[in-house]
Amino acid sequence: MTLIAYGLNHLTAPVALREQVAIADDQLTDALHELRAQPGIEEALILSTCNRTELYCSVAAGAEDTPADWLHERHCLAPGRLDDFLQRWREQDAVRHLFRVSAGLESMVLGEPQILGQIKDAYQHAHQAQTLNITLERLLQHTFAVAKRVRTDTRIGAQPVSVAYTAVRLAERLFTDIAHAQVLLIGAGETIELAARHLTERKVARLVVANRTLGNALTVVQRTGGLAVPLSDLPTQLAAADIVISSTASHAPIIDRGMVRQALVKRRHRPMFMVDLAVPRDIAPAVAELRDVFLYSIDDLHQVMDEGKRARQAAAQEAQTLIELQVERFQAWRQALAAHNPVQTLRHAAEMQRDEVLARAQAMIAHGKSPDEALAFLANTLTNKLLHTPSVKLREAAAQGDAELLRAAARLYGCPASDES
């Protein structure tokens, strides 16, 4: 079997094309069964996110292009439509790529941790669909271990790199246990939704999204959880909030010094952490003058992000060194498996012979031979090929007086064995 991976991602394909080939969670099981059923496909895993769609397969000889062909057919694309966008990896290159993806080295945001969870979800789908066998099962377990090592042994995830993630990380520094915090998010754009996702992952006590258009706030909380409120509820919600993150398109501040001062009185001056991600600013600069308020602007966060980018780029080099070592170890395991598993070796040889004879039979039909003639050729030729090597070995065993091998062969085929050599 050969390990093959095909994929396109945010670096190779525009979003319009990525949308065409994306496979939703509720379609994954059917897609896995379809892919696994293709001729020559022995194992299959599908990883489909907003930034990438990738197929990982163990394939028989001659089926190396089958995953790409299937991807075209499933999405009703003309043959070759994806050729300029698809990347292909084989054997150790496929292993290396999956390790890099799991560590966040191939992500739009270097080192982001969400991709590992998405790979684990893809593994669960494939496991439940029963499209994994020994090679991909072992590869996925090895992948999880590699990603953990990269996180543990390097600083790839130590510094935040997006404004939403940076805001949440700064909040974690201020609050001993962010899970007890009440959070108010103002706005409903991509940055606010991303912040909501990060906060939901940390299981904050309460999450409220306020927006001028209530429907947009509802859309965010439907995806991430929490409570949606209109912007008119801001004074009430502000008093309850330990953490406030704002990112709207307002042309003037929507939170002024007096509003925050009143909220602090109601809070009995419990500290408030406020992050203004908007340009122009949503929170009046004078708010920073109030005691018990920790206010950060977008410029403050960019300084932290620049430090994080430099740290992650250095960590990425360390991660790559670790990954190369793990690629070698996985390949060594595969080589040892092939060397010490005669059943797998026998099966692989039989499958190669099957594919060769099948291709010849199909060619006969294509050149005008009748199906009956082609089937007879297939049955006779395949039988002769499969029995040739065992027959030769048994004749040699008989000539050399190897009674043990002859008895084993007799038991294998259910024949009575003679005690005579």
Side-chain angles (χ1 to χ4, degrees):
M1 290 295 107
T2 301
L3 182 61
I4 291 289
Y6 277 95
L8 47 77
N9 55 54
H10 61 282
L11 296 175
T12 68
V15 65
L17 191 58
R18 298 204 306 274
E19 288 174 343
Q20 279 188 275
V21 300
I23 301 173
D25 282 352
D26 60 357
Q27 300 174 342
L28 266 180
T29 299
D30 288 342
L32 284 163
H33 288 153
E34 288 177 15
L35 179 55
R36 174 64 180 81
Q38 300 301 303
I41 303 292
E42 294 296 325
E43 301 179 84
L45 174 88
I46 299 174
L47 174 63
S48 187
T49 73
C50 58
N51 283 333
R52 67 182 66 247
T53 294
E54 296 180 347
L55 314 176
Y56 294 84
C57 302
S58 290
V59 304
E64 290 84 354
D65 295 330
T66 300
D69 294 339
W70 172 82
L71 194 62
H72 281 86
E73 292 172 6
R74 176 175 175 81
H75 297 286
C76 301
L77 298 172
R81 171 69 177 87
L82 301 175
D83 288 357
D84 291 338
F85 306 96
L86 271 179
Q87 292 179 293
R88 172 180 167 177
W89 303 273
R90 178 188 176 99
E91 292 293 344
Q92 66 264 29
D93 291 333
V95 175
R96 181 181 296 107
H97 177 72
L98 183 57
F99 287 173
R100 284 181 56 83
V101 171
S102 72
L105 299 186
E106 297 288 339
S107 296
M108 185 177 293
V109 176
L110 182 64
E112 60 91 6
Q114 285 81 12
I115 186 62
L116 179 58
Q118 292 166 330
I119 294 174
K120 288 182 177 179
D121 289 342
Y123 165 73
Q124 289 298 329
H125 278 287
H127 184 73
Q128 292 168 6
Q130 299 182 332
T131 60
L132 303 179
N133 209 324
I134 186 169
T135 299
L136 283 185
E137 178 73 40
R138 178 62 175 258
L139 175 59
L140 268 295
Q141 297 303 327
H142 203 134
T143 297
F144 302 147
V146 168
K148 183 177 180 181
R149 284 284 305 277
V150 169
R151 293 280 163 187
T152 302
D153 295 356
T154 76
R155 292 181 59 80
I156 191 71
Q159 298 290 337
V161 291
S162 70
V163 290
Y165 192 60
T166 301
V168 174
R169 287 295 299 272
L170 285 175
E172 286 183 304
R173 294 180 189 177
L174 182 62
F175 291 87
T176 304
D177 186 358
I178 197 173
H180 293 151
Q182 299 197 49
V183 182
L184 171 62
L185 302 179
I186 306 173
E190 182 180 345
T191 298
I192 289 298
E193 183 171 340
L194 186 56
R197 292 181 184 277
H198 291 314
L199 290 161
T200 301
E201 289 173 0
R202 286 155 178 78
K203 296 179 171 59
V204 294
R206 186 170 184 260
L207 180 67
V208 177
V209 178
N211 193 58
R212 197 176 307 278
T213 303
L214 182 59
N216 293 341
L218 284 168
T219 298
V220 173
V221 300
Q222 285 169 357
R223 294 171 179 163
T224 63
L227 173 68
V229 300
L231 204 59
S232 57
D233 282 2
L234 198 55
T236 302
Q237 299 298 337
L238 201 59
D242 303 308
I243 299 169
V244 179
I245 301 175
S246 186
S247 178
T248 76
S250 175
H251 296 295
I254 58 177
I255 299 176
D256 59 27
R257 190 174 187 273
M259 189 185 297
V260 177
R261 185 175 60 243
Q262 292 177 8
L264 285 170
V265 171
K266 294 180 181 178
R267 291 173 56 80
R268 298 182 181 180
H269 289 274
R270 284 182 290 116
M272 294 179 68
F273 172 72
M274 307 184 76
V275 183
D276 189 350
L277 303 179
V279 179
R281 284 177 283 188
D282 284 339
I283 303 175
V287 170
E289 300 169 2
L290 296 171
R291 289 186 58 187
D292 305 313
V293 172
F294 299 85
L295 175 61
Y296 287 79
S297 70
I298 189 71
D299 288 345
D300 297 325
L301 267 63
H302 275 307
Q303 292 178 10
V304 179
M305 290 169 62
D306 289 341
E307 295 172 4
K309 288 177 182 178
R310 289 193 294 271
R312 288 193 178 207
Q313 286 167 354
Q317 296 298 321
E318 298 176 33
Q320 186 59 43
T321 300
L322 188 154
I323 284 171
E324 290 301 329
L325 174 62
Q326 295 302 322
V327 170
E328 292 178 9
R329 290 184 176 177
F330 182 78
Q331 289 301 101
W333 170 81
R334 290 197 70 197
Q335 292 169 2
L337 180 68
H340 295 96
N341 190 339
V343 173
Q344 186 179 35
T345 302
L346 177 62
R347 180 179 179 83
H348 181 60
E351 288 170 340
M352 291 182 65
Q353 292 170 336
R354 175 203 64 195
D355 293 339
E356 176 190 350
V357 177
L358 177 60
R360 291 171 64 186
Q362 291 171 331
M364 289 174 64
I365 295 175
H367 286 85
K369 298 291 185 181
S370 70
D372 288 342
E373 186 175 355
L375 284 173
F377 166 83
L378 187 150
N380 292 331
T381 305
L382 188 57
T383 300
N384 291 336
K385 280 183 171 291
L386 292 177
L387 292 180
H388 174 72
T389 299
S391 298
V392 171
K393 296 300 181 183
L394 286 174
R395 283 197 295 269
E396 291 176 355
Q400 296 169 3
D402 191 341
E404 183 177 349
L405 179 58
L406 293 171
R407 283 194 295 269
R411 287 195 299 270
L412 177 64
Y413 291 101
C415 301
S418 171
D419 289 335
E420 297 178 3
S421 308

